[in-house]
Amino acid sequence: MLSVYEAIRRRRDVRAEFTGEPVPEEVLNRILGAAHSAPSVGNTQPWDFVVVRRPETLDVFAEHVADARRRFAESLPDDRRTTFDPIKIEGIRESGMGVVVTYDRSRGGEHILGRHTVDDTGLFSAVLAIQNLWLAAAAENIGVGWVSFYDEPYLTELLGIPGPVRPIAWLCVGHVAEFQQVPDLERFGWRGRRPLADAIHLDEF
Amino acid sequence: MLSVYEAIRRRRDVRAEFTGEPVPEEVLNRILGAAHSAPSVGNTQPWDFVVVRRPETLDVFAEHVADARRRFAESLPDDRRTTFDPIKIEGIRESGMGVVVTYDRSRGGEHILGRHTVDDTGLFSAVLAIQNLWLAAAAENIGVGWVSFYDEPYLTELLGIPGPVRPIAWLCVGHVAEFQQVPDLERFGWRGRRPLADAIHLDEF
């Protein structure tokens, strides 16, 4: 089984490498179990996972994302648009499965230990679950691609998500032909890696 | 080296078990390197890590958090307050080190691939780095406790964090006597675990 550091190193945001081979139920359950073991503020576990395999839903969501892609491309200056054009931004149909992670701010009632001073900690909890999911998937040789080119009300409606629950990520989850060594956005010249030393400060920012 | 699943299972939010033994520089660098390998929207890497070891800073922040704890306790109804009283909420001095994770929304300029539709994805990136840090720490037998009982402007001022950078977590990071098997909030009766099956939905919420 992959070590933590190896999973962290190998993990990629996958777009073009999905094979479409179905993920066995027990593998998916292990991955979702890892997500569900994340820490959460006041132990609220405010996440849910909507596993989307219905082809019509994948199709219609992929269309919506393609629209959002066009809108973003149009907003770019020429040099950025040239860099953006070859970048694949999703693998919604090709992966064959979406896992939509949601955040329920009402879970746990009124008194949330650790959320009364910093309200966002509830939202953060659901994001921690996503990283557990991603690393467990890497350990299972399963790829994950986080799609964020969508309008939140559209996705909410599409999956029948009730208020105040909020979808925070559409993850394409599926078998991959390979994991890239270098992140797509680096390979395609969108943005490179920052040295670690630049990110570390001592005692003061 | 610990497998991903074992690290996910063993990871705890540590409060009372810090020994105060200093974390060697190379271990801290591996842990921060893991955090820095997190995915980020548009590959912006919008996080920074302020490593706080200055005893006066730890002291003054611990005092601030104790105040916030009192305010929270006073806001609780009697039954919740009784459950909250024995729960230790921080290990700021005892761990001997804080790692403050910040989010810089200006990093990457104006056109952020993947943030134009969902603005929070920038913030989410920094949270993904926190979970990498946490799991790498578990693999190194180092404990992490996320303290969120603080006022954000106070922490910003304390560490000289410039706008628009935002501190999103104070993590106590240090050697531990042991990792608890059961999360503190479960052991102390604050809130129990939700079955995984309740968190999974098929095709619709």
Side-chain angles (χ1 to χ4, degrees), chain B residues 1 3 6 20 37 43 49 52 72 94 106 109 113 118 131 141 153 156 168 182 193 197 200 202:
Chain B
M1 185 52 80
S3 79
E6 185 56 23
S37 306
N43 201 15
F49 310 105
V52 183
F72 181 64
E94 301 91 323
S106 72
L113 197 168
V118 182
Q131 189 65 353
N141 253 312
T156 302
I168 62 165
V182 177
R193 192 174 290 275
I200 303 178
L202 294 179

Side-chain angles (χ1 to χ4, degrees), chain A residues 133-153:
Chain A
L133 186 160
W134 214 329
L135 295 175
E140 302 274 3
N141 252 312
I142 297 290
V144 171
W146 182 331
V147 180
S148 52
F149 275 77
Y150 59 81
D151 296 323
E152 217 170 282

Side-chain angles (χ1 to χ4, degrees), chain A residues 127-199:
Chain A
V127 180
L128 297 169
I130 293 174
Q131 188 65 353
N132 269 12
L133 186 160
W134 214 329
L135 295 175
E140 302 274 3
N141 252 312
I142 297 290
V144 171
W146 182 331
V147 180
S148 52
F149 275 77
Y150 59 81
D151 296 323
E152 217 170 282
Y154 181 89
L155 184 53
T156 302
E157 170 86 20
L158 181 67
L159 301 183
I161 297 170
V165 182
R166 182 183 162 193
I168 62 165
W170 179 295
L171 308 174
C172 305
V173 178
H175 278 283
V176 290
E178 59 167 337
F179 283 100
Q180 295 288 348
Q181 291 289 313
V182 177
D184 283 6
L185 296 193
E186 215 169 320
R187 281 192 300 135
F188 289 109
W190 180 267
R191 178 165 292 114
R193 193 174 291 274
R194 192 172 165 238
L196 172 60
D198 289 3

Side-chain angles (χ1 to χ4, degrees), chain B residues 137-189:
Chain B
E140 303 273 3
N141 253 312
I142 296 291
V144 171
W146 182 331
V147 180
S148 52
F149 275 77
Y150 59 81
D151 296 322
E152 217 169 281
Y154 181 89
L155 184 53
T156 302
E157 170 85 20
L158 182 67
L159 301 183
I161 296 170
V165 182
R166 182 182 163 195
I168 62 165
W170 178 294
L171 308 174
C172 306
V173 178
H175 278 284
V176 290
E178 59 167 339
F179 284 100
Q180 295 289 346
Q181 291 289 312
V182 177
D184 283 5
L185 297 193
E186 217 170 319
R187 280 192 301 136
F188 289 109

Side-chain angles (χ1 to χ4, degrees), chain A residues 5 36 43 45 48-49 51 53-54 107-108 114 117 120 131-132 140 148 166 191-192 194 199 201 203, chain B residues 5 36 43 45 48-49 51 53 107-108 114 117 120 131-132 140 148 166 191-192 194 199 201 203:
Chain A
Y5 282 111
H36 192 57
N43 201 14
Q45 308 151 60
D48 282 87
F49 310 105
V51 176
R53 285 212 190 86
R54 195 186 283 152
R107 190 165 297 144
T117 31
D120 279 336
Q131 188 65 353
N132 269 12
E140 302 274 3
S148 52
R166 182 183 162 193
R191 178 165 292 114
R194 192 172 165 238
H201 310 250
D203 282 317
Chain B
Y5 281 111
H36 191 58
N43 201 15
Q45 309 152 58
D48 283 86
F49 310 105
V51 177
R53 285 213 190 87
R107 189 165 299 145
T117 32
D120 278 336
Q131 189 65 353
N132 268 13
E140 303 273 3
S148 52
R166 182 182 163 195
R191 179 165 291 114
R194 192 172 165 237
H201 309 251
D203 282 317

